[in-house]
Amino acid sequence: MATQLKQPGPAPRLRVENYLSGDFAKAENQHLWTKVWLVAGREEELRNVGDFLTFNVATESIVVARGKEGLVAYHNVCPHRGRRLADGCGRASQFRCKYHGWTFNLEGKNVLVQDRDDWQGALDDERIDLWPVRVDSWGGFVWINMDMEGESLTEYLETIPEFLDPFELEKMRFRWKAELHLPVNWKVALEAFMEGYHVAATHPQLLPVAGNDYTQSFAQGKHAHFGYWKDMQPIGTASPRLADGGFRDARAGVIEFFRQIEEDLNAIQTDRDFEAAKKIMDVLPEDVDPMTAMGTAIELGRQAAVADGTDYPAQLTFEALAKAGSDWHIFPNCVTLPYFDGAIWYRARPDSRDPENPDKCVFEIWSLKRYGPGKEPEVQTRVITDPFKEGLCLILDQDIANMAEVQAGMKSSKFRYARPNPVQEVEVINFHRTLEQYVLGQAQA
Amino acid sequence: MPKLIFVEHDGTTVETEAPVGETVMRAARAAGVAGIVGECGGGMSCLTCHCYVARAAIDRIAPAGPVERELLGCVVTAQENSRLACQIVVTAALDGARFDLPAWQG
């Protein structure tokens, strides 16, 4: 990793209007969501010809389907009178408007206008097919872009495939899914997962076992990542912020780390990893060093994955893992923390039932895992409309508790701008820099 | 009344007698055939009464019109012997005809 230089110049600032202004939310709807590549879903949701899903963002609704020739995507609106065509997800050979029965095939072509003769041929020159949307896939995710021109998905993702391809996200499947309806700006929700600087204060229970919690963060074009590169310590050891050394028995520290992740997050590392890690008590001596304890737990996790009919990703060496770091912001609205056996993926967007309200968002959390053939579970989305009453798990509840307090706190007359950490919160800084290029740059043009 | 035989995708067979003049879609719905949905009520727009007509019965049914043929063209599970059951009217000649149903409708 590059050496962190002393930051010259003034401390970075984030405009509070980006989170609170209705005009900014409207400008995002106009200049951001319709111009960028967005994750619409997972390829596993569109396995068979005719499978479809709808993706609503801001004021737009997109339907994505598996057509006979591959993935297709259209604006989810009937050209006749504007009714939305598809709802939710399912399987269909055609999109039929429930209002007047106009019907479109999977290629988006209009195949039926009821009483078409009424137009006496005038419809022949009229646009009555569905409006296409660009669609592509990477990492097992289905991506759409409403802008029919501009960069391809590969160009848009910049260096992300170089860093994240080794994780084989496309081979993971849903372990669980949650959809939270939150009274906060979509960026407030997402940013709770875009830095490691909050871990010591928000998740203090992790400090005895999560290694050195000090992070560095770097921009990668529009996107950014953070990692534990400086004075890295193996998992199972205590943060240097703590006066005591944590667990005397390195094995117990490693197992406690996996236990906390399994019970308090239920993502990234997996239940299989936790079960495998427990075996280090049998195969390692009491005085083993922390690095060996962690490395052995990971190797046992890999063996457990093989025994279960899968494996750890072949290209994901320790070097590749270190190069990627721990956490990626994928502009504009996704964050992922990938690991050998699983990953967590977050997606935030304005609440499309109230799209110009900067105080509302829909925030999704997807836990992904590698499964042996045929062992993938059937996963239903858990919809949580009041996350402050209905909890998920300790770590996520701690993060969510901050969100509403941030959204409310930023409305203070004294709070004019945020002051992000220039070393550890570059993901957030880079996010707003890029966002303003889209939202303000184009608005002023 | 002519006897109609419906074979669901899982092999379940339903036999029913249907009055002449009824459509095969309505007869199937009345007999509780799960694989025939008929969402649009017979207006030939929802494509959820798609069925496969057994070879032996094909010559006993009037062929599909141009609109039905075009609509069947978008049905993912369509085959050469595909029809929309709402467009087939029961006649005496249909007695004993067999209709196989696709894995899914829509």
Side-chain angles (χ1 to χ4, degrees):
Chain A
M1 271 303 111
T3 308
Q4 196 80 40
L5 299 172
K6 184 171 163 48
Q7 300 286 321
R13 296 178 173 188
L14 305 176
R15 287 160 29 99
V16 74
E17 295 82 7
N18 293 9
Y19 303 97
L20 303 179
S21 152
D23 287 341
F24 192 83
K26 267 188 223 175
E28 285 177 342
N29 292 352
Q30 196 179 349
H31 299 298
L32 176 72
W33 302 110
T34 55
K35 306 288 182 192
V36 290
W37 284 95
L38 297 167
V39 168
R42 289 280 294 169
E43 280 195 276
E44 64 192 275
E45 298 174 272
L46 303 174
R47 283 193 199 101
N48 303 301
V49 175
D51 286 348
F52 72 88
L53 61 84
T54 53
F55 170 61
N56 297 344
V57 60
T59 51
E60 305 288 344
S61 179
I62 306 300
V63 59
V64 189
R66 174 135 340 247
K68 290 168 189 168
E69 311 286 323
L71 293 171
V72 293
Y74 308 102
H75 286 272
N76 183 21
V77 56
C78 180
H80 173 220
R81 295 275 300 280
R83 192 195 195 282
R84 280 194 178 165
L85 285 171
D87 183 33
C89 56
R91 196 164 184 199
S93 289
Q94 31 79 39
F95 304 110
R96 172 178 175 259
C97 183
K98 289 183 172 64
Y99 197 177
H100 301 91
W102 283 31
T103 302
F104 308 85
N105 65 17
L106 289 175
E107 286 76 52
K109 184 179 178 299
N110 185 306
V111 291
L112 183 85
V113 172
Q114 185 160 282
D115 302 330
R116 185 176 183 131
D117 290 346
D118 290 352
W119 276 265
Q120 300 183 343
L123 272 187
D124 298 349
D125 301 323
E126 191 73 23
R127 181 189 174 91
I128 54 168
D129 296 334
L130 299 182
W131 287 276
V133 168
R134 283 197 289 166
V135 61
D136 203 346
S137 57
W138 172 80
F141 294 89
V142 177
W143 302 73
I144 60 100
N145 191 334
M146 289 175 243
D147 187 351
M148 293 307 286
E149 285 158 22
E151 53 193 350
S152 66
L153 176 62
T154 305
E155 290 164 337
Y156 182 84
L157 290 173
E158 301 179 281
T159 57
I160 286 174
E162 176 195 328
F163 284 88
L164 296 188
D165 274 349
F167 289 89
E168 297 183 348
L169 293 170
E170 67 280 2
K171 292 191 180 165
M172 296 181 184
R173 295 291 177 269
F174 284 121
R175 184 180 175 196
W176 55 265
K177 295 190 260 190
E179 176 185 306
L180 285 66
H181 297 226
L182 294 165
V184 306
N185 189 266
W186 65 277
K187 296 182 290 293
V188 167
L190 197 65
E191 287 167 10
F193 305 96
M194 285 171 59
E195 36 84 10
Y197 184 50
H198 72 282
V199 168
T202 297
H203 312 297
Q205 78 279 3
L206 281 168
L207 292 187
V209 290
N212 188 351
D213 60 297
Y214 182 82
T215 58
Q216 292 170 305
S217 50
F218 299 93
Q220 292 284 341
K222 296 183 284 297
H223 320 290
H225 63 158
F226 80 71
Y228 298 88
W229 293 294
K230 185 169 185 291
D231 302 328
M232 181 273 184
Q233 287 175 210
I235 56 174
T237 62
S239 165
R241 298 182 203 280
L242 301 185
D244 70 344
F247 283 81
R248 302 287 171 275
D249 181 340
R251 303 172 304 175
V254 167
I255 294 168
E256 173 60 11
F257 172 82
F258 278 97
R259 185 198 67 75
Q260 286 198 21
I261 296 299
E262 177 57 22
E263 295 178 5
D264 300 341
L265 183 64
N266 209 235
I268 312 177
Q269 285 83 9
T270 66
D271 48 336
R272 188 166 57 213
D273 286 329
F274 177 38
E275 289 307 312
K278 290 178 191 169
K279 294 182 188 152
I280 61 174
M281 292 306 278
D282 303 327
V283 301
L284 295 176
E286 193 181 330
D287 59 350
V288 69
D289 65 282
M291 194 61 89
T292 303
M294 177 184 81
T296 305
I298 291 171
E299 171 55 21
L300 290 167
R302 189 191 67 77
Q303 290 172 14
V306 170
D308 219 8
T310 176
D311 197 349
Y312 276 6
Q315 305 300 315
L316 188 55
T317 59
F318 283 104
E319 290 72 24
L321 189 74
K323 178 181 168 183
S326 289
D327 178 291
W328 277 82
H329 172 230
I330 300 171
F331 185 84
N333 69 329
C334 290
V335 164
T336 185
L337 290 86
Y339 181 68
F340 290 105
D341 206 30
I344 198 165
W345 187 281
Y346 303 100
R347 179 174 73 169
R349 56 199 152 128
D351 189 331
S352 59
R353 292 163 306 176
D354 192 2
E356 292 175 358
N357 187 340
D359 291 332
K360 279 192 184 176
C361 77
V362 172
F363 186 67
E364 287 156 291
I365 307 171
W366 296 340
S367 180
L368 304 171
K369 177 182 165 180
R370 294 174 73 92
Y371 288 96
K375 294 183 178 173
E376 308 87 351
E378 278 291 322
V379 174
Q380 301 296 318
T381 301
R382 182 174 166 193
V383 178
I384 299 178
T385 52
D386 188 352
F388 306 105
K389 287 205 179 117
E390 183 183 350
L392 267 172
C393 53
L394 178 64
I395 291 175
L396 293 170
D397 291 347
Q398 288 171 327
D399 291 314
I400 292 162
N402 287 332
M403 295 175 188
E405 296 301 321
V406 168
Q407 188 75 17
M410 285 194 297
K411 292 177 180 171
S412 162
S413 61
K414 291 298 177 194
F415 189 82
R416 300 289 171 80
Y417 50 86
R419 298 155 176 83
N421 180 319
V423 174
Q424 302 199 56
E425 296 183 310
V426 169
E427 282 193 31
V428 179
I429 296 166
N430 190 61
F431 179 23
H432 285 261
R433 182 187 63 79
T434 312
L435 182 70
E436 288 171 9
Q437 283 172 359
Y438 275 90
V439 176
L440 301 179
Q442 293 176 24
Q444 286 161 3
Chain B
M1 289 194 286
K3 187 175 77 176
L4 307 180
I5 304 162
F6 297 94
V7 182
E8 307 268 17
H9 190 68
D10 67 0
T12 307
T13 301
V14 178
E15 292 190 11
T16 185
E17 291 187 342
V20 169
E22 182 66 290
T23 67
V24 171
M25 183 274 283
R26 285 189 192 284
R29 292 265 311 233
V33 176
I36 293 285
V37 181
E39 189 179 292
C40 75
M44 202 171 37
S45 68
C46 70
L47 313 188
T48 61
C49 65
H50 168 218
C51 64
Y52 308 112
V53 180
R55 311 281 168 196
I58 277 184
D59 295 341
R60 293 185 260 154
I61 299 172
V67 175
E68 184 185 348
R69 279 206 303 277
E70 167 135 27
L71 287 170
L72 282 168
C74 46
V75 174
V76 168
T77 50
Q79 301 170 4
E80 198 184 335
N81 59 334
S82 285
R83 288 297 304 269
L84 296 177
C86 70
Q87 299 303 304
I88 307 171
V89 177
V90 177
T91 61
L94 223 52
D95 187 40
R98 170 180 159 150
F99 303 90
D100 292 288
L101 303 180
W104 56 281
Q105 293 281 8

